[in-house]
Amino acid sequence: MDNQIEKKNYYNTLYGYYYSLLTPKQQEIFEYYYSEDYSLSEIAENMAISRNAVWDALQKACNALEEYEAKLQMYKNAKILDQYLIQLEPNTNDLGKEIINKIKEME
């Protein structure tokens, strides 16, 4: 991924799907880095571990999220569903649009 913002959004979305599959330490480090915008040094200081340990844990967490997505494809399927809903919306009546909105809220 080229753009840092796209990368951050992508990993945050994967995290939303698969966070419970990560270890508690990976979850904590991931949230500090991607949700709270802490630097590696700040995380290391807060957790009393080395900056390198933070980097390694973060890389393992991101790799795990990518592996889960490769196997379960929840992100990919959600994107496809969004595309179908966008295509369907102009061709539906008010009740159909209401149902589409309810489906979008579930995501």
Side-chain angles (χ1 to χ4, degrees):
M1 266 172 234
D2 304 344
N3 189 331
Q4 284 297 101
I5 294 172
E6 287 178 18
K7 180 179 175 182
K8 182 177 180 178
N9 288 338
Y10 175 70
Y11 282 125
N12 276 321
T13 302
L14 291 185
Y15 185 77
Y17 289 127
Y18 308 120
Y19 74 93
S20 62
L21 301 173
L22 299 177
T23 67
K25 191 171 190 174
Q26 287 174 329
Q27 290 175 14
E28 185 177 11
I29 290 171
F30 185 94
E31 288 174 13
Y32 274 140
Y33 189 78
Y34 282 103
S35 299
E36 299 178 30
D37 288 327
Y38 281 36
S39 70
L40 298 177
S41 298
E42 290 171 323
I43 298 168
E45 185 177 321
N46 285 350
M47 298 183 72
I49 58 177
S50 72
R51 186 179 180 280
N52 200 35
V54 172
W55 176 252
D56 288 343
L58 191 58
Q59 292 305 305
K60 287 179 184 177
C62 290
N63 289 339
L65 292 174
E66 289 175 356
E67 286 179 30
Y68 299 140
E69 175 57 21
K71 292 176 184 174
L72 302 172
Q73 298 186 347
M74 292 176 69
Y75 176 79
K76 177 185 173 189
N77 290 334
K79 296 294 261 182
I80 292 169
L81 178 60
D82 282 344
Q83 291 172 351
Y84 288 152
L85 292 174
I86 289 168
Q87 291 173 1
L88 180 63
E89 193 166 16
N91 301 311
T92 60
N93 61 19
D94 289 340
L95 178 60
K97 290 178 182 180
E98 196 174 307
I99 293 169
I100 289 171
N101 289 332
K102 287 180 182 180
I103 292 170
K104 288 180 180 179
E105 289 172 9
M106 291 174 54
E107 298 175 331

